Amino acid sequence: MSLPMCQYCSNEFTWKIIIKTIWWNKPVLCVKCHTMHKITFPSRMFLSFFTFLPIYIFIYFYWNYFIPNLNAICFVWLFTILLAFILMWNTVSIFISPFYVKYKIISKN
């Protein structure tokens, strides 16, 4: 696993720049050759599914299988576990997402 590189000059992008481009949907400018790169559509879809699909699956099972059979105290504990799982999953997905992103060149300067 390594960070993405410029397709033109093979300069490796920094983790901070990649995080900004992922969450703000901005192109990356290579500092060495000034080539603009954009995240590919399949990478963006993968990040969306990787971040949100497990959370939706967990919430679905939580509401459909756990809630009907619980009393109030168990509801609070399971809800706390759900929130902890969501925060943990989002944190992990944010930190490892730069390693799975693919870029394409949109302009060469």
Side-chain angles (χ1 to χ4, degrees), residues 6-72:
C6 176
Q7 295 176 353
Y8 191 71
C9 70
S10 299
N11 183 34
E12 191 174 77
F13 300 130
T14 63
W15 186 84
K16 183 179 178 181
I17 290 173
I18 295 170
I19 286 291
K20 286 181 181 179
T21 62
I22 289 172
W23 298 107
W24 298 109
N25 198 18
K26 293 184 178 181
V28 177
L29 178 64
C30 178
V31 294
K32 190 173 179 183
C33 67
H34 303 291
T35 303
M36 297 288 282
H37 293 77
K38 183 180 176 183
I39 298 175
T40 62
F41 182 74
S43 288
R44 188 157 294 283
M45 294 303 295
F46 173 77
L47 289 173
S48 297
F49 286 126
F50 181 73
T51 304
F52 296 111
L53 191 62
I55 294 170
Y56 291 139
I57 291 170
F58 191 79
I59 290 172
Y60 173 78
F61 283 112
Y62 178 78
W63 286 108
N64 289 327
Y65 297 107
F66 296 137
I67 296 297
N69 302 320
L70 295 178
N71 57 22

Side-chain angles (χ1 to χ4, degrees), residues 1 20 24 30 40 67 78-79 82 88 95 108:
M1 261 186 352
K20 286 181 181 179
W24 298 109
C30 178
T40 62
I67 296 297
L78 280 176
F79 188 73
L82 172 69
M88 182 180 63
F95 282 112
K108 296 178 188 174

